[in-house]
């Protein structure tokens, strides 16, 4: 299992967190072999408890179930580090995608919080 980078959500407001969300997401993606190296997080935003991540087109490359699970679990755990975030929405080039391979992601998905 890839290690989820640490992020506490504060860079969305201040831009001063040690690791920005973009850096944490890019770091997570680099740790998963089947994610194309040129797949990047283009932008992100938080509204009404939903964190939206908008990825470049290379991110939508059709993954096997284990890679897809690693990506989604990693992103859900990363988003869950921000106490204000309840759900995660994944976009590609600003568009809703049906799936990254198997799991349907057309609606926001619940974040994952580690037990403290």
């Amino acid at each position: 299992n890839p290690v989820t980078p640490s992020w506490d959500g504060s860079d969305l407001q201040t831009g001063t967190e040690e690791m920005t969300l973009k850096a944490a997401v890019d770091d997570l993606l680099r740790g998963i072999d089947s994610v194309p190296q040129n797949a990047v997080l283009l932008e992100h935003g938080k509204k009404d408890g939903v964190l939206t991540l908008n990825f470049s087109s290379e991110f939508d490359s059709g993954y096997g179930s284990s890679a897809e699970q690693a990506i989604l679990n990693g992103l859900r755990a990363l988003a869950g580090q921000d106490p204000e975030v309840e759900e995660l929405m994944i976009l590609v080039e600003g568009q809703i995608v049906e799936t990254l391979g198997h799991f349907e992601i057309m609606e926001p998905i619940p974040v994952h919080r580690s037990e403290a």
Side-chain angles (χ1 to χ4, degrees):
N1 273 358
V3 175
T4 302
S6 182
W7 168 72
D8 71 0
S10 61
D11 76 298
L12 289 175
Q13 286 81 33
T14 66
T16 59
E17 181 53 42
E18 290 173 18
M19 179 175 257
T20 65
L21 176 61
K22 178 169 172 38
V25 168
D26 288 345
D27 201 41
L28 173 74
L29 297 182
R30 296 296 82 80
I32 301 170
D33 290 339
S34 50
V35 176
Q37 287 296 307
N38 55 352
V40 293
L41 178 64
L42 297 174
E43 57 191 359
H44 56 83
K46 182 169 64 169
K47 183 177 181 191
D48 299 330
V50 178
L51 176 66
T52 299
L53 302 178
N54 183 24
F55 290 93
S56 63
S57 58
E58 295 83 5
F59 181 71
D60 187 17
S61 65
Y63 301 99
S65 55
S66 60
E68 180 188 34
Q69 188 172 7
I71 293 166
L72 293 176
N73 286 346
L75 292 175
R76 289 173 61 220
L78 206 52
Q81 293 178 31
D82 182 340
E84 295 177 14
V85 174
E86 296 298 327
E87 292 180 307
L88 173 67
M89 187 70 198
I90 297 170
L91 303 176
V92 175
E93 299 287 344
Q95 302 297 311
I96 293 173
V97 288
E98 192 171 325
T99 179
L100 296 178
H102 305 87
F103 187 75
E104 196 173 281
I105 56 167
M106 292 166 41
E107 302 280 327
I109 56 177
V111 300
H112 176 75
R113 301 217 195 279
S114 55
E115 302 304 317

